[in-house]
Amino acid sequence: MRRARTSLHVGFALLALVLLGLVTFVTQGRAQEDQSVLASLISRVLSTPTTRVSIGSVEGALSSDATVHDIAISDRDGVWLRLDRARLVWRRTALLLRRLEIDQLQIGKLEILRRPVPSEEPVAGEDQPIIPELPVKVEVKAFSRQELALGEPVFGEVLRASASGTAKLGAPAEGLSLRLDAIRLDSPGTFATRLDYVPQTNVLDLKLALDEPAGGFLSKLARLPNEPPVKLDLSGTGTLDSFAANLVFDAGPTVGAKGSAQLRREGEGRRLGLDLAARVAGLLPAPVAPVFPGTTQLNGDMSFTDEGRVDLTALSVVSQIARLDAKGTYGADESLDFDVQARAVPTSAGTTKAGAAEIRKLVFDGKVTGLATRPKIDAKLALEDARLPEGKLDKLDATFTADPTGVVSDQNTRIRLAADIAARGLSLSDAALARAIGDRFDLTLRGDTDLSGNGHYDTFTAHTPSVEVSFAGDLGRSRLHGHMEARAPDLSRFGEIAGIALSGRSDITLDLDGSLRRGRVNAVIDARSTNLRTGIVKLDPLLGTSPRLRGTLRKMPFGRYEAEALHLTGAHLSADVGGFVVPLDANLTAQIDLPDLARADNRLT
């Protein structure tokens, strides 16, 4: 995710640098070197040894009305950003008053096709100032962006949107003003923001509104349950020493908030109070979410010193059956020390009950330490005597740690992960599934990941009484590449689910490669069995007790499955299968060799 945000920031930085390059060019009086100066400025800021910045042309009077055409940024994988046109209409004489006054800033189509490939070398000239000094105050009287087009690799979803607005930015003592309206072009959805700060009265007015239908960009980006409609309305007014805001946020039945916040001056700092009725179940981990159903109360009390220290005195989320509390500090040196706790609140005889669910104990403890640029997370979860419609669980213990290898803003930083889960006394309501899984479950994970969730795992194992599964390799939404092994020592436990009288042992290896996000997975399979019996009278003599299946299986988009060189060998049977299956069609070819038909039925020769 951080890399996706970086792509956006670089894209908008490019527009700013084009504008600043034009201003710098005019103020320095280089009337004959327009294109080369602009290309040199932008290239120096954004280029790496594997990056190329190109500009098609610069037209118009740079002192008043100029248009830049066809800007493209490429890395070793090709073009990742394109801008067809940027027009700047401004007044050079305003520079005498230390103001940059822009009458019109028109942006054509800005395409961010994917995330840029990280540079393996330091940026040339990175010890030089990124941009020259400019007037303190910037005023944009009219801004318009015809289209922002984000490719799927940026956020995982395609987005096309237009925007318009105005801005007056600079030193807060001179006042601030911002108007921005954005509309999606490829589906319904609007976003609007208003910000006004008047230094003479010290009054701040803020309004923020977002409205998206189900399946919108924000619900996908935040991975909200069932991708609900999202509506946000935030408004506030007052001085910086006495400010009040109201919030209404609705993102489906399990995520939302409604309430108020107050900011007031206290001594050499400010204090913030929160009073919200919230729905948080959809944002919590699956083991914790069921104990925060419906509406919960969120209250907070925190202080901010003028030196930059933040003290979270109390932050609580309380429902009828559970409570979550957080407290801690953020130091002026960016150090973190926060504690988060969640507890089930007993409702009857020491037990927490919510509908058909019943839990005797739920304890969650989390801690965040280190620096804000490199936070470490440690968490523990303990659950006892849980009774749910799906089954019951006597005890569950889980631990989790996440430790960055460096500053999280660095695209090369990895996050070391470790997780251990142990469940005992598991009894599922589905008898066939309960027999297949067993009464206990253990999971161990060791590996690392980047901030977008693409991880590499040295250890990823799961054990139940009926099966042992291990995986090593790369696993994430955009990449799956690794080796998996599965061992089932007693196939009879799966007989009821399969609908046949299975027995024996099976060992399976899979070499996996593909992308879960694209729905493409290639699996090279090698499955061996010993002492196998299916209970199918005509089949068992042909397969024998040690059949083997080898070949390639593929899962493709739109429910398509393919088999390539899939070969089955048994004691008295061999078969080669190829082709595909889709929901409403199939095209499979099989070549089957039966050297002795009598093995299937003694009436045949």
Side-chain angles (χ1 to χ4, degrees):
M1 185 61 63
R2 187 192 61 75
R3 289 186 181 178
R5 290 194 295 267
T6 300
S7 299
L8 284 176
H9 293 166
V10 171
F12 290 118
L14 172 62
L15 302 184
L17 289 169
V18 171
L19 169 62
L20 299 177
L22 286 169
V23 174
T24 303
F25 169 77
V26 172
T27 58
Q28 292 178 349
R30 297 181 180 177
Q32 302 301 320
E33 303 178 41
D34 50 359
Q35 186 169 330
S36 62
V37 169
L38 288 174
S40 175
L41 173 65
I42 298 172
S43 179
R44 179 171 62 83
V45 174
L46 299 179
S47 291
T48 71
T50 57
T51 298
R52 179 175 179 269
V53 179
S54 65
I55 299 175
S57 62
V58 180
E59 298 177 351
L62 295 178
S63 60
S64 58
D65 188 344
T67 302
V68 183
H69 292 279
D70 301 326
I71 301 173
I73 302 180
S74 305
D75 56 25
R76 59 178 177 267
D77 287 347
V79 174
W80 66 270
L81 183 147
R82 282 197 294 256
L83 172 62
D84 66 348
R85 177 181 54 84
R87 182 189 179 200
L88 172 68
V89 181
W90 69 300
R91 293 197 302 155
R92 181 173 57 176
T93 55
L95 295 177
L96 299 175
L97 301 176
R98 295 188 61 79
R99 293 200 308 268
L100 174 59
E101 291 187 5
I102 300 173
D103 293 325
Q104 294 184 50
L105 176 59
Q106 300 175 352
I107 307 300
K109 183 175 183 180
L110 172 63
E111 297 179 273
I112 301 178
L113 308 175
R114 56 175 172 81
R115 305 170 189 172
V117 176
S119 174
E120 299 176 355
E121 301 292 338
V123 177
E126 61 184 358
D127 57 340
Q128 304 174 18
I130 292 180
I131 55 177
E133 291 187 10
L134 292 170
V136 173
K137 188 173 183 179
V138 177
E139 181 176 354
V140 181
K141 296 180 180 179
F143 161 78
S144 64
R145 185 188 63 215
Q146 178 182 338
E147 180 180 345
L148 168 66
L150 298 181
E152 184 190 17
V154 179
F155 280 117
E157 298 292 334
V158 174
L159 171 69
R160 294 175 55 240
S162 65
S164 62
T166 65
K168 186 184 295 182
L169 307 173
E174 297 185 24
L176 302 174
S177 178
L178 176 65
R179 301 282 189 277
L180 179 64
D181 294 282
I183 301 175
R184 286 199 66 174
L185 301 175
D186 51 351
S187 68
T190 60
F191 172 79
T193 185
R194 303 287 185 269
L195 170 66
D196 288 290
Y197 174 61
V198 182
Q200 292 79 4
T201 59
N202 205 29
V203 172
L204 173 67
D205 284 309
L206 172 66
K207 292 184 179 180
L208 187 68
L210 182 142
D211 191 349
E212 281 194 324
F217 184 74
L218 184 60
S219 65
K220 292 179 181 294
L221 184 64
R223 299 183 183 179
L224 298 177
N226 301 317
E227 299 179 356
V230 176
K231 290 188 177 182
L232 171 66
D233 188 354
L234 173 65
S235 61
T237 186
T239 68
L240 295 181
D241 292 332
S242 180
F243 185 80
N246 294 297
L247 169 69
V248 177
F249 176 59
D250 188 2
T254 61
V255 178
K258 183 178 182 180
S260 61
Q262 296 81 35
L263 179 67
R264 64 184 185 275
R265 165 68 70 172
E266 283 191 0
E268 297 182 354
R270 293 180 174 85
R271 183 169 293 277
L272 175 65
L274 301 174
D275 184 5
L276 297 171
R279 303 186 303 277
V280 298
L283 300 177
L284 297 175
V288 180
V291 296
F292 283 92
T295 300
T296 63
Q297 190 64 33
L298 186 150
N299 297 98
D301 181 21
M302 63 190 74
S303 60
F304 309 84
T305 68
D306 294 337
E307 291 77 21
R309 177 184 173 90
V310 179
D311 288 295
L312 180 60
T313 306
L315 179 66
S316 62
V317 180
V318 183
S319 72
Q320 295 180 348
I321 62 172
R323 181 183 183 97
L324 185 146
D325 292 281
K327 63 180 181 179
T329 59
Y330 172 83
D333 59 352
E334 298 188 337
S335 61
L336 299 175
D337 188 3
F338 285 93
D339 293 291
V340 180
Q341 296 180 337
R343 302 286 189 271
V345 177
T347 58
S348 176
T351 300
T352 301
K353 294 183 179 180
E358 180 178 320
I359 299 173
R360 188 175 69 83
K361 176 184 177 181
L362 184 145
V363 175
F364 172 83
D365 292 295
K367 193 171 185 65
V368 182
T369 56
L371 295 175
T373 56
R374 189 176 175 175
K376 181 182 178 182
I377 300 173
D378 294 277
K380 294 190 298 183
L381 173 67
L383 183 68
E384 293 184 6
D385 293 339
R387 304 290 186 269
L388 304 171
E390 295 80 8
K392 65 179 183 178
L393 178 64
D394 291 344
K395 187 176 182 180
L396 182 143
D397 291 292
T399 62
F400 172 81
T401 63
D403 188 7
T405 60
V407 177
V408 293
S409 60
D410 185 345
Q411 59 189 4
N412 295 316
T413 292
R414 305 289 293 181
I415 301 175
R416 292 188 293 261
L417 300 177
D420 295 278
I421 300 176
R424 298 293 181 265
L426 178 63
S427 178
L428 298 177
S429 300
D430 187 317
L433 194 58
R435 176 167 170 76
I437 294 178
D439 62 353
R440 63 185 184 276
F441 173 81
D442 292 276
L443 182 143
T444 301
L445 180 149
R446 299 289 185 274
D448 60 79
T449 181
D450 61 21
L451 293 180
S452 63
N454 292 312
H456 177 80
Y457 301 98
D458 300 311
T459 302
F460 197 156
T461 61
H463 298 268
T464 75
S466 60
V467 66
E468 299 177 6
V469 179
S470 64
F471 173 83
D474 299 324
L475 177 61
R477 291 189 69 225
S478 60
R479 177 170 167 81
L480 170 62
H481 181 78
H483 180 76
M484 177 181 286
E485 295 184 2
R487 292 173 290 277
D490 184 5
L491 292 175
S492 66
R493 303 180 71 109
F494 302 92
E496 192 171 349
I497 290 181
I500 56 178
L502 273 176
S503 65
R505 174 189 176 93
S506 184
D507 295 272
I508 303 172
T509 65
L510 294 168
D511 289 307
L512 302 169
D513 186 71
S515 170
L516 298 178
R517 175 169 53 85
R518 296 173 181 261
R520 298 174 180 269
V521 177
N522 189 83
V524 179
I525 184 173
D526 188 353
R528 303 168 183 257
S529 298
T530 56
N531 299 321
L532 178 68
R533 287 289 183 269
T534 67
I536 302 175
V537 176
K538 305 298 183 183
L539 182 61
D540 281 341
L542 296 174
L543 289 179
T545 60
S546 303
R548 184 178 183 183
L549 177 67
R550 291 174 292 173
T552 299
L553 294 173
R554 293 191 184 90
K555 178 186 179 301
M556 306 294 286
F558 310 110
R560 180 184 175 101
Y561 294 86
E562 298 178 355
E564 178 182 329
L566 198 61
H567 182 68
L568 172 67
T569 57
H572 304 284
L573 165 100
S574 67
D576 291 282
V577 180
F580 69 87
V581 175
V582 294
L584 298 179
D585 194 12
N587 187 350
L588 292 172
T589 300
Q591 177 177 317
I592 302 173
D593 289 332
L594 296 170
D596 186 0
L597 291 176
R599 298 289 183 175
D601 191 316
N602 57 17
R603 294 172 295 178
L604 298 174
T605 61

